[in-house]
Amino acid sequence: MNQPHSADHDPVLALHHGRVVYPGPAGSGFEAIRDVSVTLHAGEILGLVGESGSGKSTTARAMLGLTHLTSGSLTYRGQAVTWADRRFRSRVQAIFQNPAGSFNPKRSLLDSVAEPLRVWKRGTKEQRRKTALDALGQVGIPPEVAARRPNRVSGGQCQRAAIARAIVLEPEVLICDEPVSALDVSIQAQILELLARLRAERNLAMLFISHDLSVVSALCDRTAVMYAGEIVEEAPTLTIANAPTHPYAAILHDAAAAVTPGAAVGEPLVPRGAATVDGRHLAGCRFEEVCPRATQLCVTDHPELTGDEHAVACHHPIPVAPAENDVYVRSHPSGSAEGTTQRSARP
């Protein structure tokens, strides 16, 4: 599904070194994301994957202009985004995790999809109705279903309607925050196919957020892995899917690979304990407390995200040994092998 595409050289939407600190009691605060940079190009889908609490949704809200940046900046078409930027508001749209919760339960799907057109004063009432019906038709919702309220349709139909509402203003960017996690596996595949088709037809830029690396691998061109508010690895999706080099990304990979085909995927089995942000973790690597490869360097020095096509924030990344059958060895810094894992051959 994640086929090669032609993306514009200049980004449509970009978050630069974003930092968000949520205020707490007695002047304390929680740093939700730290030095996060995300760049979206037309025609490209970037996956953002990580466990709950890793900062994925905060990143999405920051890129939608819904969360104030403590530091850093957000640009749209190279221009800084301001709260009064109406063009940005109409051209960057969101799809959320709970489709039914994002609709007015007392209004039909058709009325809710037409609402953005009314807010932006586009066309007459009849023209807005026709445009909304066209958008619903593009996502597979017939008129008889469009006339129903959210509680009278399935979860998959409701999410299709949410996608129709997102595209009705002809946006350039879709921010998709866990859009399939509440759906059955068979419905997930349909929604992923729909998003892929819309990307191809409209040359959309997308940020696709998930805790499931297997879902991201089915759709996205590039993947960024988040842990404790930071991006720890970013690379082409096939690289992350075949041979991740950050220890946390490898855990996500193995959790996805261990799931029985066709089974629902839940939260990955990731060691807990290092996601709490305190002074010690700010000084060093936030993953070092549970990382099997950690050394004293990881305690004292914070690893920076470095690399171009394949960037990783790790003092001791997992080496990838090139071989015909694409085998890599996870070795400790001391040189002793932790284990050998067979990977599928790369294209």
Side-chain angles (χ1 to χ4, degrees):
M1 194 182 299
N2 44 343
Q3 299 297 318
H5 66 286
S6 176
D8 291 348
H9 179 70
D10 296 327
V12 181
L13 186 66
L15 176 65
H16 308 275
H17 305 288
R19 180 172 182 256
V20 173
V21 178
Y22 293 122
S28 64
F30 172 72
E31 188 178 49
I33 62 172
R34 177 194 188 196
D35 196 26
V36 171
S37 295
V38 176
T39 301
L40 302 180
H41 293 84
E44 180 182 49
I45 305 179
L46 173 67
L48 189 60
V49 65
E51 62 187 299
S52 296
S54 61
K56 305 186 303 297
S57 291
T58 296
T59 300
R61 291 181 62 83
M63 297 190 73
L64 286 164
L66 299 177
T67 292
H68 175 72
L69 289 171
T70 305
S71 62
S73 62
L74 180 67
T75 59
Y76 169 71
R77 290 292 181 187
Q79 301 296 315
V81 172
T82 66
W83 287 102
D85 192 340
R86 287 178 56 83
R87 182 167 179 248
F88 165 80
R89 296 293 176 195
S90 65
R91 303 297 275 174
V92 179
Q93 295 292 307
I95 303 168
F96 297 106
Q97 179 177 359
N98 182 6
S102 65
F103 282 98
N104 186 330
K106 296 183 178 181
R107 303 184 67 180
S108 69
L109 297 179
L110 176 58
D111 287 343
S112 291
V113 172
E115 180 68 7
L117 298 168
R118 185 192 66 79
V119 171
W120 287 89
K121 298 180 173 60
R122 297 190 181 180
T124 64
K125 183 177 181 179
E126 186 55 35
Q127 288 171 335
R128 292 194 293 267
R129 183 178 183 278
K130 182 179 183 303
T131 301
L133 281 172
D134 288 344
L136 285 160
Q138 289 176 41
V139 301
I141 299 293
E144 61 272 17
V145 176
R148 300 174 187 171
R149 294 181 180 181
N151 65 341
R152 303 295 295 174
V153 300
S154 68
Q157 289 172 323
C158 206
Q159 191 61 292
R160 287 175 181 271
I163 295 171
R165 183 176 56 186
I167 66 172
V168 76
L169 289 174
E170 300 289 337
E172 293 182 280
V173 181
L174 289 183
I175 307 294
C176 309
D177 191 1
E178 299 268 13
V180 299
S181 62
L183 305 175
D184 292 338
V185 174
S186 60
I187 305 301
Q188 285 186 11
Q190 296 174 19
I191 297 300
L192 294 179
E193 290 282 358
L194 172 59
L195 290 173
R197 176 170 61 80
L198 291 173
R199 180 267 290 269
E201 293 175 352
R202 296 166 176 257
N203 201 33
L204 287 166
M206 292 189 196
L207 178 67
F208 184 90
I209 294 173
S210 178
H211 63 260
D212 184 356
L213 186 57
S214 63
V215 171
V216 170
S217 299
L219 179 68
C220 302
D221 305 293
R222 293 184 59 81
T223 296
V225 179
M226 287 197 80
Y227 182 80
E230 298 179 333
I231 292 178
V232 297
E233 187 167 5
E234 182 176 347
T237 296
L238 288 177
T239 299
I240 298 289
N242 287 338
T245 59
H246 192 281
Y248 175 69
I251 290 173
L252 290 181
H253 173 278
D254 292 345
V259 175
T260 302
V265 178
E267 192 73 8
L269 299 175
V270 179
R272 301 290 176 172
T276 300
V277 179
D278 55 30
R280 180 168 60 85
H281 285 112
L282 289 177
C285 175
R286 296 183 176 187
F287 192 58
E288 60 85 14
E289 189 175 82
V290 293
C291 180
R293 302 176 62 80
T295 65
Q296 185 59 32
L297 177 65
C298 307
V299 178
T300 58
D301 288 19
H302 186 272
E304 299 299 327
L305 187 68
T306 57
D308 296 323
E309 185 70 9
H310 186 173
V312 63
C314 184
H315 294 305
H316 309 294
I318 299 170
V320 179
E324 290 184 1
N325 56 0
D326 196 13
V327 173
Y328 76 80
V329 177
R330 296 186 195 177
S331 59
H332 289 289
S334 63
S336 61
E338 179 182 309
T340 302
T341 303
Q342 182 79 33
R343 300 296 183 213
S344 59
R346 297 178 191 172

